[in-house]
Amino acid sequence: LQQRRGLRLSAPAAIQVTVRDALNQALDEELERDERVFLLGEEVAQYDGAYKISRGLWKKYGDKRVIDTPISEMGFTGIAVGAAMVWLRPVCEFMTFNFSMQAIDQVINSAAKTCYMSAGSIPVPIVFRGPNGASAGVAAQHSQCFAAWYGHCPGLKVVSPWSSEDAKGLLKASIRDDNPVVVLESELLYGVPFEMSEQAQSKEFVIPIGKAKIEKQGTHVTLVAHSRPVGHCLEAAAVLSKEGVECEVINLRTIRPMDIETVEASVAKTNHLVTVEGGWPQFGVGAEICARIMEGPAFNYLDAPAVRVTGADVPMPYAKILEDNSIPQVKDIVFAVKKTLNI
C-alpha cells in the first residue's frame, strides 16, 4: 500500500538474534551452500544438539550430513580429519572443549601439521567447534579456556566470538577456510540476544578471520578481550565513563592470527593497556598481547605498564561464591583500569 502511494520504504531494521540461533543459521546456510559440508558429534542429529545449536538440521539434511557419533572424541575427530584430507568440509562439534583433550592428538598432530608436512599438497579444511571456558556450576573439568592452548599451535586458526554477528560471521568464514579452524564458543552466551544488522542477515555475510573489532571508541585506556569478557569490558567502560574515564574496547574476535595492529593503533591513542580473559594467567592470551606490545612500536606510547585481568590460577571451584571469585568480574576490570591510570 505504501509503495502504491509512492512512499519511500525504510530499509529492514536490525533484529535481535541469540548466539544459539546465529550459529544455527550459519550451519544451515553453509550446509545448504556446499554439499561437502557436514556436521558430526555427540547428539547433534536426532537430539538437535546438546545446546540446540543444530536444531532442525538433521530433519532437513538427513543422516549423511548431520551425524550422531559414539562418545569417543578421538574416534570421531579422526574420522572428521580424514574426511577433510579428501576435501570434504567437516564441522566437528565437541560437547565442551574440555573433551577435546581426548582428541588433541588428532587436532594438532593430524589436522594442524598435515598441510605443512605435505608441502601444501594436503589441505585440511575442518572446523572444530563447541563451548569453551567457564559455564555455571560445572566445576574444574568442564570450565577451562583453551584459547591459549590452541592459539599456541602453528597450522591452526583460532576464533573466539562474542556477539551473534561474531558467531555467525566467524563460523561461516571458518567453514569456508581451507585450514583447520578452532571455534571457541561460550555456553553462557548461547541464550543471549544481540542486535544483528541487515548486512549480517545475508547468507553471504562473513567476518574475516584475523580482524579485531573496536566495540567502543575511547581515549584514556585500551581494553582488549575476547568472548564473554568483551561484555564485561563494555559494562566496566560504562561505569568508568561516569567517572570521566573513556575506555576503548577491542573485541579481539580471532586469537590466531592475532590482529595486533588494531591493538597497537589503540594503545598509540590511549597510552594505556588492560587485557581481559577468562583463562588462566600463565602463558595466556593477555600475556601474548602484552609481549607483542612490549616488542613492537606501540611500547613507546605506553605511559604505564600493561595490566592483565585473568581467571584465578586455580582449577575452577564448584561452589558458586568461589566460582565468581575465579572469573573476572566488572569490578576487577574497573580496579585494573584505575590501577594503570593511577587514579
Side-chain angles (χ1 to χ4, degrees):
L1 182 61
Q2 287 178 315
Q3 286 176 321
R4 287 179 182 177
R5 292 173 177 171
L7 297 176
R8 184 176 179 181
L9 296 176
S10 59
I15 59 174
Q16 292 283 316
V17 177
T18 65
V19 171
R20 174 182 290 107
D21 289 341
L23 292 166
N24 180 267
Q25 286 177 24
L27 289 169
D28 188 10
E29 291 169 7
E30 294 306 302
L31 284 161
E32 181 181 62
R33 175 180 176 272
D34 189 341
E35 64 180 11
R36 296 173 298 171
V37 176
F38 68 97
L39 173 66
L40 80 167
E42 295 154 356
E43 299 182 345
V44 300
Q46 296 185 45
Y47 189 67
D48 281 342
Y51 304 98
K52 307 306 175 189
I53 303 299
S54 53
R55 185 179 59 248
L57 299 181
W58 174 68
K59 290 180 180 178
K60 184 174 182 178
Y61 295 101
D63 290 323
K64 290 187 177 180
R65 305 288 302 283
V66 183
I67 304 168
D68 276 333
T69 66
I71 303 174
S72 176
E73 278 75 16
M74 182 180 289
F76 69 72
T77 305
I79 290 170
V81 172
M85 288 179 178
V86 292
W87 275 103
L88 295 177
R89 291 186 172 272
V91 179
C92 179
E93 176 180 306
F94 296 120
M95 195 177 289
T96 159
F97 258 96
N98 296 268
F99 300 162
S100 74
M101 291 297 93
Q102 300 291 326
I104 198 167
D105 178 61
Q106 299 288 4
V107 176
I108 305 302
N109 284 326
S110 297
K113 298 177 182 177
T114 293
C115 187
Y116 181 84
M117 293 176 68
S118 66
S121 64
I122 308 177
V124 187
I126 185 171
V127 172
F128 304 102
R129 55 153 296 272
N132 170 73
S135 180
V138 291
Q141 293 181 329
H142 297 73
S143 299
Q144 192 171 327
C145 178
F146 290 92
W149 286 54
Y150 287 117
H152 180 65
C153 302
L156 290 178
K157 294 184 179 181
V158 183
V159 301
S160 183
W162 169 59
S163 67
S164 297
E165 285 197 8
D166 288 352
K168 181 178 181 180
L170 288 171
L171 180 54
K172 287 170 71 73
S174 301
I175 293 171
R176 298 182 188 189
D177 202 286
D178 288 339
N179 299 281
V181 186
V182 173
V183 181
L184 302 172
E185 302 156 9
S186 168
E187 180 185 338
L188 294 174
L189 288 176
Y190 281 154
V192 178
F194 289 88
E195 188 174 276
M196 185 174 280
S197 66
E198 179 191 357
Q199 179 189 12
Q201 297 169 44
S202 165
K203 289 186 177 182
E204 292 307 310
F205 174 72
V206 294
I207 291 173
I209 294 174
K211 184 62 181 172
K213 179 185 179 184
I214 298 176
E215 297 287 350
K216 178 186 177 297
Q217 297 281 349
T219 54
H220 295 121
V221 61
T222 299
L223 300 179
V224 185
H226 64 95
S227 191
R228 189 164 173 258
V230 175
H232 294 338
C233 287
L234 290 170
E235 290 181 46
V239 171
L240 288 160
S241 181
K242 296 175 182 178
E243 301 181 31
V245 176
E246 295 301 325
C247 303
E248 182 145 296
V249 179
I250 297 178
N251 174 8
L252 206 54
R253 281 180 165 173
T254 304
I255 307 301
R256 185 184 186 106
M258 184 178 288
D259 182 7
I260 200 65
E261 292 80 12
T262 295
V263 180
E264 287 177 335
S266 179
V267 169
K269 178 172 66 171
T270 68
N271 310 117
H272 299 88
L273 173 64
V274 174
T275 67
V276 185
E277 63 190 306
W280 294 320
Q282 286 207 124
F283 317 111
V285 174
E288 176 66 17
I289 295 169
C290 292
R292 296 275 193 100
I293 295 300
M294 184 74 160
E295 295 166 351
F299 172 72
N300 296 309
Y301 291 91
L302 282 176
D303 287 343
V307 175
R308 291 179 294 157
V309 179
T310 72
D313 197 22
V314 296
M316 182 62 70
Y318 174 72
K320 187 179 189 312
I321 190 167
L322 295 177
E323 180 184 72
D324 289 344
N325 282 281
S326 298
I327 305 170
Q329 307 291 338
V330 172
K331 62 180 176 60
D332 302 316
I333 301 169
V334 171
F335 177 82
V337 168
K338 291 184 175 182
K339 176 182 177 182
T340 193
L341 293 176
N342 196 28
I343 57 176

